[in-house]
Amino acid sequence: MVFTHDTEVSLRTAAALVNTAPGDGGDMLSSSDALREFYVEWEWTGRFDGDATELEQARALRPRLRALWLAGDEHATAEIVNELLRDGEALPQLVEHDDVGWHIHATGDDAPFARRIQVEVAMAVLDLIRAGDLSRLRVCAADDCDAVLVDLSRNRSKRYCDGGCGNRVAAAAYRARQAD
């Protein structure tokens, strides 16, 4: 494992949340039920209200998290991270629960879901900056896709999102070679 479990989960959750934003398939976070499915799928714990306010807070967080992928350098990213931590009233603490072992929670379990995501993602990106691995945050290399991804591969070779872009690009390249 390249990073700790909580760092990996937070980064993957952030990418997944950013990628729910309206696109070709519409807004994938279109209801409180969709937010609940997201919460369950990513195995978050703690407070979950599931109301319209929480849904709006999660939707509003997406562009702030996308900015982490688009910042361009460590200094700009660090500014965003610090803003997310300040706004989220981060108070890091070492905790142990479930089967994950010791890890950091930077908000209380009673904090709103979107705030917990905001702060946990900021803490995870903080780890990337400190490790000099910010380049692991990428935008899909397919020309027609703007999904974000986290490259957690050992050789840092992941270029495409999990939406099938890699297969689609490879198939198009194969067809182009066959046409020649």
Side-chain angles (χ1 to χ4, degrees):
M1 182 162 46
V2 177
F3 294 100
T4 60
H5 173 77
D6 54 327
T7 296
E8 286 190 18
V9 168
S10 293
L11 293 171
R12 288 181 173 156
T13 300
L17 182 61
V18 168
N19 291 336
T20 65
D24 292 339
D27 190 336
M28 295 168 37
L29 210 55
S30 59
S31 67
S32 294
D33 288 340
L35 183 62
R36 179 174 300 283
E37 289 173 21
F38 185 90
Y39 176 88
V40 170
E41 177 181 351
W42 289 98
E43 299 178 350
W44 281 78
T45 59
R47 176 179 166 187
F48 182 80
D49 298 334
D51 58 14
T53 300
E54 194 162 64
L55 176 62
E56 189 52 42
Q57 290 169 345
R59 287 176 171 168
L61 182 57
R62 296 183 298 197
R64 295 183 75 192
L65 296 182
R66 179 178 279 283
L68 292 166
W69 271 262
L70 305 177
D73 65 40
E74 289 179 349
H75 294 286
T77 305
E79 285 183 31
I80 296 167
V81 165
N82 288 334
E83 179 184 315
L84 291 170
L85 291 171
R86 269 191 310 276
D87 291 352
E89 301 172 358
L91 182 60
Q93 297 183 32
L94 196 58
V95 297
E96 181 181 38
H97 63 84
D98 302 324
D99 294 329
V100 220
W102 289 104
H103 58 285
I104 297 173
H105 280 195
T107 61
D109 284 347
D110 59 338
F113 179 50
R115 180 182 298 165
R116 290 197 326 274
I117 291 175
Q118 171 182 326
V119 171
E120 298 302 328
V121 169
M123 293 293 292
V125 174
L126 180 148
D127 282 348
L128 289 179
I129 293 171
R130 290 175 11 148
D133 274 337
L134 194 54
S135 64
R136 290 181 179 275
L137 299 182
R138 299 189 180 148
V139 176
C140 182
D143 291 337
D144 59 345
C145 182
D146 65 352
V148 298
L149 61 105
V150 180
D151 181 3
L152 294 173
S153 66
R154 288 183 189 210
N155 63 0
R156 297 176 175 97
S157 62
K158 186 171 180 170
R159 298 179 52 216
Y160 300 102
C161 70
D162 294 334
C165 289
N167 288 339
R168 187 173 40 76
V169 168
Y174 173 79
R175 285 190 300 275
R177 285 191 306 273
Q178 295 302 311
D180 288 341

